[in-house]
Amino acid sequence: MNLQALIEDIRQQVLPFYDQGRVADYIPALASVAPHQFGLAICTLDGEHYACGDAATPFSIQSISKAFMLALTLQAEGETLWRHVGKEPSGNPFNSLVQLEYEHGIPRNPFINAGALVVTDRAIRHFGAAHGRLLDWLRAESGAPRLSANEQIAASEREHGDRNAALAHFMKSYGNLDHPVEQVLDQYFHNCSIEMSCSQLARAALFLANHGLSPNTAQQYLSRSQAKQVNAVMLTCGTYDAAGEFAYRVGLPVKSGVGGGLLAVIPGKMSIAAWSPQLDRRGNSVLGLEALDRFTTRTGLSIF
Ligand code: GLU
């Protein structure tokens, strides 16, 4: 199969979907991104790399950082992490407060904001500077030593972060946050503000396709079983309220972010990153979903 020709063709097919979604604007610094951009990149476990469109353009990875932070924290903490955060889909918006009250401050999963705040709190316990640890790890795995957070976006998130602050305070009142709310929020916002391209993201995610072992650095970050856990939670909780639609149309573990990125894993084979900033009403990239749907449909490469 000629994957390069395939992704070029998919790009042509999805470009007409421009303007069917909107760039996220609840974080004002994200709203200024040029809307008509689309990139797609694939890294295979055989060492092949395919890319098209704006695959080399850095964008705000936002919630895709949650998948990497989860993996690093799971590596450091092991099973007991799941006492602090669940692994069930929430069925609620990613920044919802209501469920937390019913469930005594234990977030449903690590990919809603409350869950990611708890994971960040645990990461601070293990690494001190959780954001620094994530950044160093991403730099090594993506082969891009100059990756960093966009300070302007981090500041914008902080300025408009009342809801995340509410989630954090609420969980602290239940004893499910060890560190000061301000510290956890600062690390979390910086993680979300990291900028990476599709090509860099796909490369950094290869360990998830390779049962926890990175082909980039030869490090075994997760056990086979833990890599399965992260992929499973991506499949069931990684795309906000659209995990059912993604499972149905794409059939892969995927993590999305409001910057318009989608990171997908084909266990045993490859990782794929798609990006286009216009989002559908559930917060997922319109062109990104169209592209992943076409990719798995035309190649037959899905986990189902
Ligand atoms: N930094 C964003 C927030 O906390 C992340 C949202 C997302 O990508 O899901 O609201």
Side-chain angles (χ1 to χ4, degrees):
M1 194 181 336
N2 183 340
L3 286 183
Q4 185 62 39
L6 177 70
I7 63 173
E8 300 277 1
D9 190 50
I10 288 174
R11 176 171 173 270
Q12 290 304 327
Q13 288 187 349
V14 302
L15 292 181
F17 287 82
Y18 277 147
D19 297 327
Q20 294 199 11
R22 291 184 51 220
V23 175
D25 56 7
Y26 76 103
I27 300 168
L30 284 181
S32 57
V33 174
H36 290 183
Q37 301 189 77
F38 171 81
L40 187 59
I42 295 176
C43 285
T44 71
L45 294 182
D46 307 336
E48 302 293 331
H49 178 68
Y50 306 93
C52 71
D54 302 304
T57 304
F59 61 91
S60 192
I61 67 170
Q62 290 295 316
S63 280
I64 296 173
S65 63
K66 293 172 182 168
F68 294 117
M69 194 79 261
L70 172 66
L72 292 183
T73 310
L74 195 57
Q75 180 198 24
E77 173 146 2
E79 268 304 287
T80 60
L81 179 64
W82 301 114
R83 289 191 200 144
H84 304 272
V85 61
K87 39 179 128 56
E88 297 295 341
S90 76
N92 278 304
F94 66 99
N95 55 8
S96 167
L97 274 154
V98 284
Q99 210 162 35
L100 263 188
E101 170 130 50
Y102 297 131
E103 298 183 354
H104 311 292
I106 309 288
R108 271 287 171 105
N109 68 65
F111 294 152
I112 52 175
N113 285 8
L117 289 164
V118 166
V119 171
T120 305
D121 181 66
R122 304 301 299 169
I124 294 171
R125 159 185 279 243
H126 296 290
F127 308 125
H131 171 63
R133 170 81 177 106
L134 177 63
L135 204 52
D136 286 345
W137 185 90
L138 285 171
R139 286 171 174 160
E141 282 300 321
S142 64
R146 288 205 293 274
L147 282 188
S148 61
N150 179 322
E151 289 297 336
Q152 201 195 337
I153 291 179
S156 186
E157 293 210 36
R158 192 175 311 112
E159 226 170 282
H160 299 269
D162 293 324
R163 187 171 277 265
N164 283 322
L167 291 167
H169 279 292
F170 201 56
M171 291 189 293
K172 196 155 176 72
S173 78
Y174 280 102
N176 197 20
L177 215 63
D178 284 349
H179 299 90
V181 165
E182 273 314 311
Q183 185 185 4
V184 176
L185 288 174
D186 181 64
Q187 301 283 302
Y188 168 81
F189 291 142
H190 276 86
N191 288 347
C192 292
S193 305
I194 292 172
E195 293 186 321
M196 293 175 75
S197 68
C198 289
S199 293
Q200 291 165 344
L201 269 176
R203 181 167 166 185
L206 272 174
F207 77 108
L208 289 175
N210 198 32
H211 309 295
L213 171 67
S214 164
N216 304 319
T217 56
Q219 300 267 331
Q220 183 83 44
Y221 292 115
L222 298 176
S223 68
R224 204 179 171 93
S225 165
Q226 287 172 326
K228 181 195 70 180
Q229 293 171 0
V230 174
N231 284 328
V233 180
M234 283 171 68
L235 177 79
T236 54
C237 312
T239 48
Y240 311 118
D241 274 351
E245 187 183 359
F246 269 77
Y248 178 91
R249 291 182 60 185
V250 179
L252 293 176
V254 180
K255 183 71 203 88
S256 64
V258 294
L262 289 170
L263 180 62
V265 177
I266 307 185
K269 292 203 159 49
M270 61 183 77
S271 51
I272 309 173
W275 168 63
S276 188
Q278 293 178 318
L279 309 179
D280 61 23
R281 62 185 171 81
R282 294 197 277 201
N284 295 302
S285 171
V286 174
L287 272 70
L289 171 56
E290 293 298 332
L292 291 181
D293 179 351
R294 281 166 178 72
F295 182 83
T296 56
T297 303
R298 288 174 63 176
T299 59
L301 290 171
S302 95
I303 62 168
F304 296 111

